[in-house]
Amino acid sequence: MIDVSQRADFMKSIRSRHGLEEILDGLDRLKNMRVCVVGETIIDEYAYCNAMGKSGKEPMLVTRFVSCDQQGGGVLAIANNLAEFSDHVELVSSLGEVDSRRDFVDSCLKPGIKATFVSQRNAPTIVKRRYIDSYSLAKMFGVYQMSEEELQGEDENEFVAVLKSAISRCDLVVVADYGHGLITQKARDLLITMSPFLSVNTQLNAANTGYHTLSKYPHADFVCVHEGELRLDAREVHGDLRPLMVSKARKMGLEAMMVTLGNRGTILFKQKAGFFSCPSLANKVLERVGAGDAVLCLSSLAAAARLPPDVINLLGNLAGAQAVAVIGNRASIKKSQMLESIRLIMGRMPVDKAIRGRALGQNGG
């Protein structure tokens, strides 16, 4: 449900602090940033089914297959989102030696993205298949195809060598660490010591619950994580989130940290500047898969470009609003749509109309 008062307060605050041209100029500056994206390649499959009923002889639900949709997820989606705003995007990842799906992966990436994939021996490319009720779009269950082993031996050495070369050409390194074994200790050490500006997300998911946390990275420049991911790292289920953010930012030497709060928007902490909140700007929510990655993309670019904290919040939330309006990563974030949203927010249109405007959180994809 849209919190009209919070949105109105946020929009008034943005309008009072910044002009439209200032924000558009800041967004335009992002296109010259050279970005290296690092993390696992994931293929998302959505198998749509119709429920038929209980099996006649077994205690299980039987469904009828309708269709299947394949999408480029993980760092493929992140690279595509970044390529909408930056003219220089490199991708460093891996594919499985077994069932690599290289042709599909290549077809997913936007032209102009420089991609390098290391082959992981005796492993498949990661596929996350979700079975969906075709009427309600509710997820019934998921089946993941992936290796349980870390990258090692010659594969790890090749990955580190490719990573070192890519980092040397970039202004910003965005790490989406899904905890599936690609980013080893050796790779993390390289990322921390060599990256000119390091942005990190350590995702909590079904395959890594309990042992994959932000503490694996003793230093970064910017972090974007979900509230649950920060609380898991701090071992603090309840209580005020802000002290956890301050403590983690100081311990890691961060310039800034953003925490996503689902339908409550985001909160950003910047050293020496304090806290900045932004309500959710989504009007339409179909699915949340890919939303955090979209926020990571734009907030990382904006943070590395040293845009004002409330502008970082704005751009990240507008990216997330676009992402939740489609199923998975069916469509990447559109710069044209973001520009429309910014003009709507920053223009002379009354705040109440801007809140309900078509551009906020809508996506025709």
Side-chain angles (χ1 to χ4, degrees):
M1 184 176 180
I2 297 172
D3 191 318
V4 176
S5 63
Q6 284 190 2
R7 283 195 183 179
D9 290 343
F10 177 76
M11 291 178 186
K12 289 176 181 177
S13 175
I14 282 283
R15 289 178 178 183
S16 68
R17 295 184 182 190
H18 308 285
L20 173 61
E21 292 305 316
E22 176 193 350
I23 295 179
L24 296 183
D25 287 346
L27 193 61
D28 193 54
R29 279 165 45 199
L30 305 183
K31 68 181 181 181
N32 294 320
M33 296 196 68
R34 299 169 298 168
V35 188
C36 174
V37 187
V38 185
E40 288 95 344
T41 293
I42 298 171
I43 297 174
D44 290 321
E45 290 186 350
Y46 291 80
Y48 296 94
C49 308
N50 286 334
M52 297 172 64
K54 176 188 173 297
S55 168
K57 299 181 179 180
E58 302 288 344
M60 68 176 183
L61 174 68
V62 176
T63 64
R64 180 175 62 83
F65 176 79
V66 176
S67 64
C68 186
D69 178 26
Q70 283 191 330
Q71 302 170 7
V75 290
L76 303 180
I78 290 175
N80 283 333
N81 287 335
L82 287 167
E84 185 73 6
F85 299 88
S86 167
D87 293 338
H88 313 278
V89 177
E90 288 198 42
L91 168 62
V92 179
S93 187
S94 70
L95 300 177
E97 182 185 50
V98 181
D99 191 19
S100 73
R101 306 203 183 193
R102 180 62 188 263
D103 290 342
F104 176 76
V105 168
D106 288 341
S107 72
C108 289
L109 292 173
K110 290 182 178 180
I113 296 175
K114 176 181 172 59
T116 305
F117 297 100
V118 172
S119 180
Q120 184 174 1
R121 301 173 206 199
N122 304 315
T125 293
I126 299 171
V127 178
K128 296 187 176 182
R129 185 178 300 111
R130 301 167 178 92
Y131 289 84
I132 313 293
D133 176 69
S134 62
Y135 178 74
S136 66
L137 300 182
K139 297 184 181 73
M140 294 183 287
F141 63 96
V143 178
Y144 290 2
Q145 170 183 299
M146 59 194 298
S147 171
E148 293 183 337
E149 301 296 328
E150 271 197 338
L151 205 65
Q152 53 190 309
E154 293 181 14
D155 296 342
E156 181 187 23
N157 292 336
E158 182 183 358
F159 177 71
V160 170
V162 169
L163 185 58
K164 184 176 182 179
S165 176
I167 293 175
S168 68
R169 296 186 291 271
C170 294
D171 306 309
L172 163 66
V173 180
V174 178
V175 178
D177 190 342
Y178 299 100
H180 298 328
L182 174 67
I183 304 177
T184 61
Q185 184 63 57
K186 188 183 294 186
R188 283 194 294 273
D189 290 343
L190 178 66
L191 287 163
I192 291 167
T193 58
M194 190 174 173
S195 298
F197 189 97
L198 179 61
S199 175
V200 173
N201 168 261
T202 51
Q203 188 192 91
L204 172 66
N205 55 55
N208 66 38
T209 302
Y211 63 86
H212 180 63
T213 69
L214 196 54
S215 295
K216 286 188 172 183
Y217 292 82
H219 171 72
D221 298 290
F222 179 74
V223 159
C224 180
V225 291
H226 184 267
E227 178 181 1
E229 292 161 347
L230 179 59
R231 289 191 180 279
L232 175 65
D233 182 76
R235 305 297 191 269
E236 185 68 59
V237 177
H238 305 292
D240 190 353
L241 189 64
R242 295 188 176 202
L244 303 183
M245 295 177 67
V246 172
S247 175
K248 197 64 182 177
R250 290 175 177 171
K251 185 174 182 179
M252 293 182 67
L254 301 174
E255 287 191 16
M257 165 180 274
M258 176 179 280
V259 176
T260 60
L261 307 171
N263 61 8
R264 292 178 288 131
T266 62
I267 182 169
L268 182 127
F269 172 71
K270 189 172 177 62
Q271 300 273 21
K272 300 181 180 179
F275 289 91
F276 301 81
S277 296
C278 178
S280 170
L281 299 177
N283 287 337
K284 175 184 177 183
V285 179
L286 282 181
E287 192 193 32
R288 294 172 293 172
V289 169
D293 290 340
V295 176
L296 170 69
C297 294
L298 265 295
S299 60
S300 296
L301 278 171
R306 271 76 182 190
L307 298 188
D310 49 357
V311 175
I312 298 174
N313 252 338
L314 172 66
L315 298 181
N317 273 271
L318 287 175
Q322 286 193 40
V324 297
V326 296
I327 296 293
N329 294 293
R330 182 176 293 174
S332 58
I333 305 305
K334 299 292 187 293
K335 184 176 180 179
S336 59
Q337 186 177 324
M338 184 167 290
L339 291 172
E340 182 182 358
S341 298
I342 291 170
R343 291 190 178 100
L344 191 66
I345 292 171
M346 298 300 295
R348 295 181 180 178
M349 180 180 291
V351 166
D352 62 335
K353 291 185 178 180
I355 288 171
R356 296 174 175 82
R358 187 193 69 78
L360 285 182
Q362 301 302 309
N363 191 312

